[in-house]
Structure formats: C-alpha cells, structure tokens
Amino acid sequence: MISATLPSEFTRYLRTETFGGVVLVMAAAAALIWVNSPAAESYTALRDAELGPDLLHLRLTVGTWAQDGLLAVFFFVAGLELKRELVIGELSTRDKAVLPVLAAVGGVITPALICLAVGWGSPGFEKAWSIPMATDIAFALGVLALVGSRIPSSARVFLLALAVVDDLIAIAVIAVVFSHGIQVAPLAVATVGCAAYTYAQHRRITTALFYLPVAIVVWIAVLNSGVHATVAGVALGLLTRVRTDPGEAVAPAGRLAHRIQPVSAAICVPVFALFAAGVSVNADALSRLGGDRIALGIALGLLVGKPIGIFGTSLCAIRFGIAAKPSGLRHRDLLAVCILGGIGFTVSLLLADLSLDQADAATAKAAVLLSSLGASLLGAAALIRRGRRMP
C-alpha cells in the first residue's frame, strides 16, 4: 500500500512546489518593484511595524514574524518531506541515498569554501560563507517543470532528494551556527512539548485540538531559547509518523503535508520573500555589489561552486562505483540539473539576514537574487538545448 501511494505523493509534491516557485518569484519581483518605487517608505514602514504582545517576547516586527513564524511552517513541511524520504522514500536505502547525499554534501562544501575564500577578512565573513549553501527546491523544481518536460523523471527525483539533504544541512547550520545565548528553561519546555507530540503520535491521536497548541508552545519555547525558531518546525516534522497502520489510507505525515504544503507554498514562503527580497537595485547599490567581496563570493558560490560541487561529486561517485547513475539520466541531463542547484533563494535570504547586519545583508541578498536568476536562466538554457537534441 505504501509503495502504491508514493508516485501520487511525489507528483503532488512536484505540482505544489512548481506552483510555489511561480508565486515565490512573483512575490520577490513585487518586493523589488515596491522597494525601488516612490512608495519605498511604505514598504519599510510595513516591514518594521511591530505586532504581538510583549508577553514571552512575542512583540516582533512584521518582517521577523515572516522570518521566524511563517518560515517555521515551511521548515515543518521540509521536516515532513525529509522524514518521508529517510523512512520510505529516495533516502531510505543505501543504493538510493548515496548519490544525492554525496552530491548534496559536495554542493554545500564547494560554494561555502569559495565564499569563505573570496570574502576572507570582510566584515561578517565568519558566518556569510553559509549563504550560498542552500538550493531553493520550489524555484528549482519550477524551472525544471517549465522547460524540462522531456528530461527523464529520474532527474526530478534526484533533484528532490538532493534538495532534501541540502535542507537538512542548512537546518543543522542554522541550529548550530546561529544559536546564541542558549536558555535552558525554554529549551526544556520545547523538549517536553516535542516529547508530548511524539507520545501522541505513538498513541495515534489525530485531533488538531491537541497538536496545534503543542506546536505553538514548542515554537514559542524555541523562539525564547536562543535556537532559531524555524528549528521548531523541523523538529516536529521529523517526529511525525510516516508509515501507515493496517487499514490506514494515509499516514499523518502525508495528511499534514497535503493540508499544509499548499499554504506554505502559496502564502508562507511568498510572504517571507516579500519582506526578505526588498533590496535596492539602483546604480549606487549595484556599484557596492561589484566591490563587495562577500557578495562576489556568494555569486561565485551559487553560479560556479554549486554546479561544480554537485556535478563533480556525482561524477566521481559514479565513476568510482560508489553510486549508480539514475536510470535514463545522461551526463548532460545531470549537468543541467546541477546548474539548477545554484538557485539559492528562501534559505539563502534567511541566512543573509542571520549572518550580516542590515546594510551588508541587503547587498548579500542582491547577490543571491541576481545569482539565482542567472542560475535559473543557465539551467533553463541547458534543459532547452538538451530537449532539442533529443531524437
């Protein structure tokens, strides 16, 4: 029963993420137009407006609510997908997992080293190396769906598995590198909340009246613990059951993904992008971009480091017999997919905010946006050329 549901679940995931990629680009474009228009002050005023009670440090700016609150939903869905892939999906066996895991590691280390080397000595370089690590799965799958209709389906599976591992590494970096002043009491509350969530999953409790309050408590506790609040979403996603019981049509992870993923793709991530992608692209900003070594490191990391890291590691793993090449996938297909790996968007924008102060983060975000656009165009061109050469 489980294997029979996987193709439909995978297809649903692709469709939702493809739609999400389109909405994500539209939100980022709206942010850029808004910030570079005469109404720029209204954008800043809205982003910096404070909402919420002072209790439990919940009085946050709109931009922070989008970053810490809405992205927690996105990371919850990522956690669900990661758990499914690890237990019953493309990462559940060694034969399936080796290539995308190695490719993801190569695709994380190479751009990080390039960014670190180029930006060495610049203010904030100690953490800015993390910015070009992540691949935006919604954006990348959106491009692949639009122009890669003739590429083998194994390419989509490889890209999805690669992005899942990529997300896991990015999550680990956020949890370790960007945690500060860990507070034991809130962390203990979060741990108890996660334990209650796990117990409820074990007892097959299904009512949202239990899970929603527990999720809110865990998120607030993590927010106040010094660990980045999005980690709460990942933790709960990983604790959700993915195997079906006898007579059960869909496991809880599948039900939750079906309900929440469209909200994440259509609302949570685009709203975050709206408030994260608002950077000035006037002549002065572009001149700063050209002379900023961290921005240059980000651009080289995404446009050069990502494809080289992913493709080079994959090629070595295949040629040395460590992993098998996905069925029907030629080397040029793999290269085109690896170029799409250079599309860093959602998590890269988040890491820019976490790594740098506001002024430097704006320059880094501009580099992310321009590099992601470049990677999407190069990847699309490679896919189109491949399609034309097909017999």
Side-chain angles (χ1 to χ4, degrees):
M1 179 179 292
I2 292 175
S3 61
T5 64
L6 288 182
S8 62
E9 283 297 305
F10 181 64
T11 301
R12 175 198 57 75
Y13 184 88
L14 287 176
R15 287 174 178 171
T16 305
E17 289 302 318
T18 301
F19 169 76
V22 174
V23 179
L24 177 62
V25 172
M26 292 173 62
L32 289 170
I33 294 170
W34 193 353
V35 167
N36 292 279
S37 74
E41 290 185 3
S42 65
Y43 175 91
T44 304
L46 178 59
R47 182 195 63 196
D48 297 339
E50 294 187 347
L51 297 173
D54 292 324
L55 181 68
L56 298 175
H57 305 98
L58 292 177
R59 188 163 184 80
L60 308 171
T61 65
V62 172
T64 304
W65 274 111
Q67 181 187 103
D68 290 356
L70 295 181
L71 271 195
V73 178
F74 163 76
F75 276 106
F76 175 70
V77 174
L80 292 174
E81 187 60 27
L82 174 60
K83 178 71 173 288
R84 193 189 75 82
E85 291 296 329
L86 288 171
V87 176
I88 58 176
E90 291 301 315
L91 304 176
S92 60
T93 65
R94 182 188 179 280
D95 291 342
K96 292 180 178 180
V98 169
L99 186 61
V101 167
L102 291 178
V105 172
V108 165
I109 292 176
T110 306
L113 289 176
I114 289 175
C115 187
L116 185 63
V118 175
W120 189 271
S122 298
F125 82 97
E126 300 91 345
K127 295 182 178 179
W129 54 265
S130 64
I131 298 173
M133 290 194 321
T135 296
D136 191 285
I137 186 58
F139 202 155
L141 282 176
V143 174
L144 185 62
L146 288 174
V147 297
S149 59
R150 301 186 68 183
I151 202 166
S153 60
S154 56
R156 295 170 175 81
V157 175
F158 173 77
L159 181 59
L160 175 60
L162 167 76
V164 167
V165 180
D166 191 294
D167 280 347
L168 176 61
I169 298 172
I171 290 162
V173 169
I174 291 171
V176 175
V177 177
F178 297 102
S179 297
H180 53 86
I182 301 298
Q183 302 296 315
V184 176
L187 197 58
V189 172
T191 303
V192 171
C194 288
Y197 185 96
T198 304
Y199 179 76
Q201 286 286 298
H202 177 72
R203 299 294 298 176
R204 303 311 193 249
I205 295 173
T206 59
T207 176
L209 295 176
F210 174 83
Y211 288 109
L212 187 57
V214 169
I216 292 172
V217 168
V218 170
W219 180 82
I220 293 174
V222 174
L223 177 70
N224 286 277
S225 71
V227 179
H228 198 269
T230 54
V231 174
V234 181
L236 294 176
L238 290 173
L239 294 173
T240 305
R241 182 167 58 88
V242 297
R243 293 189 184 277
T244 55
D245 286 337
E248 186 179 35
V250 184
R255 290 197 301 270
L256 287 169
H258 180 76
R259 294 171 183 171
I260 299 174
Q261 189 180 351
V263 177
S264 171
I267 299 175
C268 297
V269 175
V271 171
F272 164 76
L274 180 67
F275 291 109
V279 295
S280 175
V281 289
N282 56 32
D284 182 56
L286 292 176
S287 65
R288 288 199 309 272
L289 183 64
D292 189 298
R293 285 193 292 149
I294 287 180
L296 179 59
I298 292 169
L300 290 174
L302 288 173
L303 287 172
V304 179
K306 269 287 187 181
I308 288 178
I310 298 171
F311 185 71
T313 305
S314 299
L315 204 60
C316 289
I318 292 169
R319 289 193 173 177
F320 287 107
I322 301 173
K325 185 172 63 174
S327 59
L329 199 66
R330 303 177 185 178
H331 287 317
R332 60 187 176 209
D333 301 329
L334 185 61
L335 179 58
V337 172
C338 293
I339 294 172
L340 293 182
I343 301 175
F345 210 88
T346 306
V347 178
S348 292
L349 293 176
L350 171 63
L351 289 168
D353 274 329
L354 296 177
S355 304
L356 303 166
D357 60 32
Q358 188 171 356
D360 291 334
T363 305
K365 287 179 183 180
V368 169
L369 294 173
L370 292 174
S371 301
S372 298
L373 176 62
S376 64
L377 293 175
L378 289 172
L383 290 169
I384 292 171
R385 184 181 180 188
R386 192 275 183 191
R388 287 175 177 171
R389 289 192 172 189
M390 288 216 29

